[in-house]
Amino acid sequence: MDELNDELDRPREACGIFGIYAAGRDVARLTFFGLYALQHRGQESAGIATCDGKSAYIHKEMGLVSQVFNEDNLNPLKGHLAIGHNRYSTTGSSHVRNVQPYLIDTIYGPLGVAHNGNLTNALELRYRLLERGVGLSSTTDSEVLTQALASPPEVWGNNRRLDDTGDRWQARIRALMQVAEGAYSLTILTRSAVYAVRDPYGLRPLCLGELDGGYVAASESSALQTIGARYLREVEPGEIVRLDAEGVSSAMGHAPRRRSLCSFEYVYFARPDSLMEGQVIHEVRQRFGRQLACEAPAEADIVVPVPDSSTPAAIGYSLESGLPFTEGLIKNRYIGRTFIQPDDDLRKVGIQLKFNPLPSNLAGKRVILIDDSIVRGNTAGPLVQLIRAGGATEVHVRVSSPPVRHPCFMGVDMATRKQLIAHQMNVQDICAAIGADSLAYLSLEGMMACIEQTPELESAVETDGGHCNACFSGSYPIPIPGWLFEEDRDKKLFEATWGD
Ligand code: 5GP
Ligand code: SF4
Ligand code: MG
């Protein structure tokens, strides 16, 4: 049952980032609640850095937002500028050394960086920094970004005067954007402004909001809503947005490339109440379910979601098929990430640490079980057994995304190729492995059609509308160096120096 422990204890989320400039507001507290709303994106560590225009303050630790912060450590975080971060490690192991935000002193004063994403040329950039005598104290590409920003643009061989506005940070961000490859959404803290930056592909989400007294940037719009901010718009691919005393100003840091927002945000990562590209995630997931019902019907009595992430797709499947949506599994809402390992007896209890079946709804029923994704394939089998134990006579698994066959190098630590069940087996064999009566996935074309009913994208002239779906299709929006496909190379990239 090691897999189970792995599944229970292994978050694979992307990170959550937040940034705020708000005079007269308790920005540390607002950032705390923003991070709280983004907890689903990373459960390994949390941190907040603030600045009062002169000095900077920081608190960061391993753990959930609610475990990391209390009145005692929040109150000293003074100022009217703040950034925050929820982390799940995509580069660098789970270690306190790697907790974000990074905060350093520079020639222009404090510099804090919160990063969601993954650089594909971090090793090269890291080497260039080391070569220039910059010492690094952690193993993340995010520290590389931070130190790169602290270095003058000439470090990158860019002697051209990049900026006429006198915004030296913007010049540095822009210089970095010319050399950084891969996925990055950033919030950056300086003495007088917070910057929100998105890579030229727009791989990871980032949006802007307005609140009484200031402006906010966050990975997802639901975090804006949580703190009473009004959604303004997304940060555009390649854009540098500056939040300061004057309000919001914008500059292009790099020409946008083919738009490639992660389609897994729609499948699983993002909160259902978040807005991306002008559409509510819940609605897109419902469309997935409707499409799945058209593509893969089944003779059955009820449609049961794997809560909570599959509920919208199950609603869609139910609406389209006319079969009743029925709860069959109850999830412990507080399971989240725990640092307590189950003992051997608890491990045998298995998936029930997380879910219990509802026999009164399942007994004698032919069940269509909807899950949003099968990644490693550790969860689906035990869930099928659980539904049967609840009295179901048949279990037909329907997955509201295509088979995940390829690893992600753009900021989501899904798994290596070897660990992905759909890389190893075909659908028929997976069906047998999980013990279902039938198994079907949503087609790639079907999923993309549901996602690309995007009102905003249709009118986007400057970017050829599109999304990353590399983990499903194997077609990566950015060049991936071949050696990154080697097992574990991406995550442990820098570990040679530090050990574990
Ligand atoms: P697996 O097939 O790896 O055992 O797990 C698939 C299940 O994990 C699905 O129910 C899906 O909702 C969930 N899942 C998909 N992606 C992620 C992720 O990145 N992090 C976590 N914690 N769960 C995920
Ligand atoms: Fe998202 Fe998959 Fe692309 Fe990674 S490979 S960015 S998870 S769509
Ligand atoms: Mg799930």
Side-chain angles (χ1 to χ4, degrees):
M1 290 305 279
D2 270 353
E3 293 88 359
L4 169 76
N5 188 32
D6 187 36
E7 163 57 21
L8 284 174
D9 236 11
R10 166 192 43 117
R12 289 185 302 250
E13 291 74 12
C15 300
I17 60 171
F18 191 86
I20 180 166
Y21 185 105
R25 301 290 304 262
D26 184 346
V27 290
R29 198 163 296 262
L30 289 165
T31 305
F32 168 85
F33 283 106
L35 291 181
Y36 209 12
L38 297 172
Q39 184 73 80
H40 60 288
R41 298 185 69 84
Q43 294 152 32
E44 198 168 85
S45 65
I48 297 175
T50 66
C51 182
D52 58 12
K54 247 168 83 186
S55 307
Y57 311 86
I58 187 162
H59 183 76
K60 55 180 186 175
E61 251 176 62
M62 303 293 288
L64 298 169
V65 177
S66 61
Q67 295 166 329
V68 169
F69 292 101
N70 54 45
E71 291 291 345
D72 289 342
N73 57 37
L74 210 53
N75 285 330
L77 302 178
K78 293 182 290 192
H80 53 285
L81 302 86
I83 59 170
H85 191 268
N86 283 335
R87 173 162 203 267
Y88 175 62
S89 57
T90 47
T91 305
S93 62
S94 170
H95 195 287
V96 67
R97 200 170 48 221
N98 295 331
V99 174
Q100 295 194 47
Y102 282 98
L103 179 66
I104 59 174
D105 198 12
T106 74
I107 192 78
Y108 302 139
L111 170 70
V113 175
H115 171 214
N116 171 204
N118 201 40
L119 298 187
T120 49
N121 66 339
L123 200 57
E124 184 199 323
L125 297 185
R126 184 173 209 263
Y127 186 76
R128 281 165 76 173
L129 287 169
L130 294 173
E131 218 176 21
R132 297 206 40 122
V134 177
L136 296 165
S137 65
S138 77
T139 56
T140 67
D141 54 348
S142 313
E143 190 191 18
V144 168
L145 280 168
T146 311
Q147 289 295 349
L149 287 171
S151 314
E154 299 80 66
V155 169
W156 312 113
N158 208 331
N159 295 314
R160 193 161 56 92
R161 187 162 163 74
L162 284 157
D163 179 56
D164 300 319
T165 66
D167 183 340
R168 292 171 297 201
W169 282 119
Q170 190 190 88
R172 289 185 174 201
I173 296 167
R174 205 179 275 175
L176 177 63
M177 289 173 86
Q178 313 312 310
V179 292
E181 280 162 28
Y184 54 91
S185 278
L186 306 170
T187 49
I188 298 169
L189 176 81
T190 66
R191 199 176 263 159
S192 52
V194 166
Y195 295 86
V197 179
R198 210 164 160 208
D199 72 64
Y201 300 90
L203 274 153
R204 311 259 48 105
L206 191 60
C207 64
L208 298 172
E210 182 179 20
L211 88 169
D212 212 12
Y215 292 89
V216 195
S219 294
E220 293 184 35
S221 64
S222 49
L224 305 178
Q225 239 178 329
T226 296
I227 60 158
R230 189 171 64 83
Y231 175 85
L232 289 175
R233 64 175 177 91
E234 298 194 352
V235 177
E236 289 297 318
E239 191 184 15
I240 305 171
V241 176
R242 181 183 157 109
L243 316 177
D244 63 15
E246 314 296 319
V248 172
S249 54
S250 158
M252 284 318 280
H254 191 293
R257 301 194 195 249
R258 187 175 196 279
R259 200 177 186 111
S260 309
L261 175 66
C262 168
S263 50
F264 224 90
E265 294 284 348
Y266 286 109
V267 169
Y268 173 82
F269 297 131
R271 274 172 59 147
D273 53 342
S274 282
L275 189 71
M276 277 184 200
E277 301 175 310
Q279 38 193 5
V280 179
I281 299 287
H282 189 281
E283 282 168 17
V284 179
R285 288 182 187 158
Q286 271 200 38
R287 295 209 282 267
F288 290 162
R290 282 186 179 272
Q291 177 68 21
L292 185 59
C294 298
E295 291 182 12
E299 284 280 319
D301 304 306
I302 56 175
V303 179
V304 171
V306 179
D308 304 311
S309 52
S310 308
T311 298
I315 292 171
Y317 195 103
S318 160
L319 288 171
E320 192 67 33
S321 64
L323 299 171
F325 171 93
T326 312
E327 286 195 276
L329 295 167
I330 300 300
K331 183 179 182 178
N332 176 350
R333 272 189 208 156
Y334 301 98
I335 192 82
R337 176 154 169 88
T338 162
F339 290 94
I340 312 296
Q341 303 285 318
D343 69 11
D344 285 345
D345 285 338
L346 274 174
R347 260 172 222 173
K348 289 191 201 111
V349 178
I351 199 86
Q352 291 195 58
L353 278 181
K354 215 170 167 181
F355 298 104
N356 286 337
L358 266 182
S360 50
N361 283 356
L362 295 170
K365 295 287 173 27
R366 294 170 302 171
V367 170
I368 296 177
L369 181 66
I370 307 283
D371 205 350
D372 58 88
S373 54
I374 296 180
V375 183
R376 299 188 194 212
N378 297 330
T379 334
L383 283 173
V384 169
Q385 274 180 33
L386 207 58
I387 297 281
R388 288 199 202 282
T393 54
E394 292 175 22
V395 187
H396 302 275
V397 175
R398 295 292 179 271
V399 185
S400 61
S401 63
V404 177
R405 296 205 170 97
H406 308 273
C408 175
F409 304 106
M410 278 78 67
V412 181
D413 180 34
M414 297 239 271
T416 60
R417 267 201 287 220
K418 225 162 66 188
Q419 294 162 333
L420 295 168
I421 193 167
H423 185 79
Q424 303 290 345
M425 295 183 196
N426 62 29
V427 174
Q428 208 181 350
D429 292 344
I430 298 172
C431 182
I434 66 175
D437 292 288
S438 74
L439 167 68
Y441 291 83
L442 183 59
S443 69
L444 183 62
E445 300 69 34
M447 179 182 80
M448 295 319 292
C450 294
I451 291 176
E452 283 168 358
Q453 290 179 21
T454 312
E456 272 185 16
L457 284 186
E458 277 165 19
S459 63
V461 280
E462 85 286 11
T463 53
D464 173 15
H467 295 86
C468 177
N469 56 25
C471 49
F472 305 112
S473 66
S475 163
Y476 291 86
I478 53 175
I480 306 293
W483 61 270
L484 269 183
F485 286 93
E486 288 166 29
E487 298 293 308
D488 269 350
R489 283 302 295 273
D490 54 335
K491 187 165 172 186
K492 298 277 179 167
L493 211 53
F494 306 143
E495 295 298 304
T497 310
W498 294 109
D500 257 329

